[in-house]
């Protein structure tokens, strides 16, 4: 197989029934299931694997081609691994993003982008010091009515993971110098997490997502704005051009094995 520079193309438009059904769905499920385990050490393929996982019940030839592209990418990057190194810095950093439709921002391409159910894709990357320790790419459970809502849902998922990691570190007797900082590239969601006045205008957002506001009010979390160009979580929410993908891959701490 000829190697490719990225696990999924920017022109990929996978959806139900987009081509003739694949004649061996069991093989498709077995291979995609194996790829899920690969994501435990290769966060760079997380979005692509999440995408092909959505068609386990009725894969098509187009979906199979997407799976083969992931394999071709892995073949060409088999020397890469997730770098973990000892450092004195033990601060938690989180970068979160939910894709939505807004032509003015790089991360806007996938709000309601799934043609089958119009849900958004959310993703996050969490760093302990300089090490990537947790990441995710998943379709959101409900349809978002606005970009701010989809971004806020992604914030809530990230805060839930941060809370679990803080509890785990506490059990391991690892103390954090400062409260975790969560970087978000949506101003609306950033303001919503800190300004209770906005909540009266967003009652359609599920109540269980408002615990983000409580964490900020208690000083247990800091939510800050970051430019889309610096948003690492973009790699977990949409297909990217090869050059952009390779840049973000390096920020995920993926490097050739020694």
């Amino acid at each position: 197989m000829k190697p490719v520079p990225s696990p999924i193309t920017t022109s990929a438009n996978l959806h139900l029934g987009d081509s003739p059904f694949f004649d061996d769905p069991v093989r498709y499920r077995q291979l995609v299931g194996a790829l899920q385990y690969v994501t435990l050490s290769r966060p760079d393929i997380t979005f692509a694997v999440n995408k092909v996982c959505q068609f386990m019940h009725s894969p098509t030839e187009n979906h199979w081609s997407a799976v083969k592209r992931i394999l071709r990418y892995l073949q060409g990057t088999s020397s890469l691994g997730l770098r973990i190194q000892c450092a004195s810095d033990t601060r938690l950093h989180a970068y979160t993003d939910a894709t939505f439709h807004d032509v003015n921002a790089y991360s806007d391409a996938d709000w309601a982008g799934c043609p089958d159910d119009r849900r958004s894709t959310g993703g996050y990357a969490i760093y302990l010091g300089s090490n990537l320790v947790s990441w995710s790419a998943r379709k959101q459970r409900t349809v978002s009515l606005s970009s701010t809502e989809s971004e806020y849902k992604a914030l809530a998922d990230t805060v839930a993971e941060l809370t679990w990691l803080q509890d785990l570190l506490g059990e391991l007797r690892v103390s954090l110098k400062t409260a975790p900082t969560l970087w978000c590239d949506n101003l609306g969601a950033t303001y919503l997490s800190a300004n209770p006045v906005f909540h009266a205008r967003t009652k359609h957002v599920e109540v269980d997502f408002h615990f983000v506001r409580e964490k900020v009010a208690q000083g247990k979390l800091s939510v800050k704005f970051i430019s889309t160009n610096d948003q690492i979580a973009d790699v977990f929410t949409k297909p990217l051009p090869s050059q952009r993908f390779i840049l973000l891959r390096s920020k995920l701490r993926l490097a050739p094995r020694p």
Side-chain angles (χ1 to χ4, degrees):
M1 294 186 293
K2 182 180 179 181
V4 291
S6 63
I8 187 170
T9 65
T10 55
S11 60
N13 186 23
L14 306 178
H15 56 87
L16 294 174
D18 56 6
S19 61
F21 289 108
F22 184 51
D23 58 5
D24 192 355
V26 174
R27 183 184 180 191
Y28 180 94
R29 296 179 190 121
Q30 290 175 337
L31 186 52
V32 172
L35 287 173
Q36 288 181 303
Y37 286 99
V38 180
T39 61
L40 296 176
S41 60
R42 290 294 300 270
D44 51 329
I45 66 169
T46 301
F47 171 77
V49 173
N50 172 263
K51 195 67 177 177
V52 296
C53 281
Q54 297 172 21
F55 310 104
M56 294 281 233
H57 55 295
S58 56
T60 66
E61 293 289 345
N62 195 27
H63 304 152
W64 178 245
S65 295
V67 172
K68 290 193 293 184
R69 181 180 175 90
I70 298 174
L71 294 177
R72 291 167 60 194
Y73 169 75
L74 288 174
Q75 180 191 37
T77 58
S78 59
S79 64
L80 293 181
L82 189 61
R83 176 183 295 175
I84 302 292
Q85 62 184 135
C86 179
S88 59
D89 186 2
T90 57
R91 290 176 296 175
L92 272 175
H93 306 274
Y95 301 86
T96 183
D97 188 23
T99 54
F100 45 84
H101 180 68
D102 184 344
V103 296
N104 296 320
Y106 183 83
S107 62
D108 297 350
D110 203 41
W111 171 59
C114 179
D116 301 314
D117 54 20
R118 292 303 176 187
R119 296 184 186 179
S120 303
T121 298
Y124 61 75
I126 298 176
Y127 291 80
L128 179 59
S130 60
N131 299 315
L132 180 66
V133 294
S134 182
W135 57 90
S136 173
R138 69 177 63 176
K139 187 188 293 185
Q140 293 182 346
R141 293 182 293 272
T142 57
V143 178
S144 297
L145 301 180
S146 66
S147 60
T148 297
E149 181 180 349
S150 64
E151 190 74 38
Y152 199 53
K153 289 178 181 179
L155 285 175
D157 289 339
T158 310
V159 174
E161 182 72 5
L162 277 171
T163 301
W164 179 83
L165 282 172
Q166 285 180 286
D167 291 341
L168 176 62
L169 290 173
E171 293 180 4
L172 296 174
R173 298 184 180 180
V174 177
S175 60
L176 302 178
K177 297 179 180 178
T178 59
T181 300
L182 200 160
W183 300 92
C184 173
D185 67 353
N186 182 277
L187 281 173
T190 304
Y191 294 151
L192 188 62
S193 67
N195 189 346
V197 175
F198 281 82
H199 285 256
R201 306 175 190 173
T202 54
K203 291 183 179 180
H204 59 280
V205 180
E206 288 84 344
V207 175
D208 56 347
F209 290 117
H210 289 263
F211 81 97
V212 177
R213 163 75 184 121
E214 293 180 1
K215 292 286 185 180
V216 174
Q218 294 169 0
K220 296 181 179 180
L221 177 71
S222 175
V223 179
K224 296 182 179 181
F225 176 77
I226 190 173
S227 168
T228 300
N229 292 330
D230 299 321
Q231 179 56 271
I232 295 177
D234 271 353
V235 75
F236 298 126
T237 59
K238 66 180 69 63
L240 298 174
S242 298
Q243 186 175 3
R244 171 73 172 168
F245 173 80
I246 293 172
L247 172 64
L248 293 182
R249 185 181 68 187
S250 67
K251 294 184 178 181
L252 293 176
R253 303 287 295 170
L254 282 166
R257 295 184 180 90

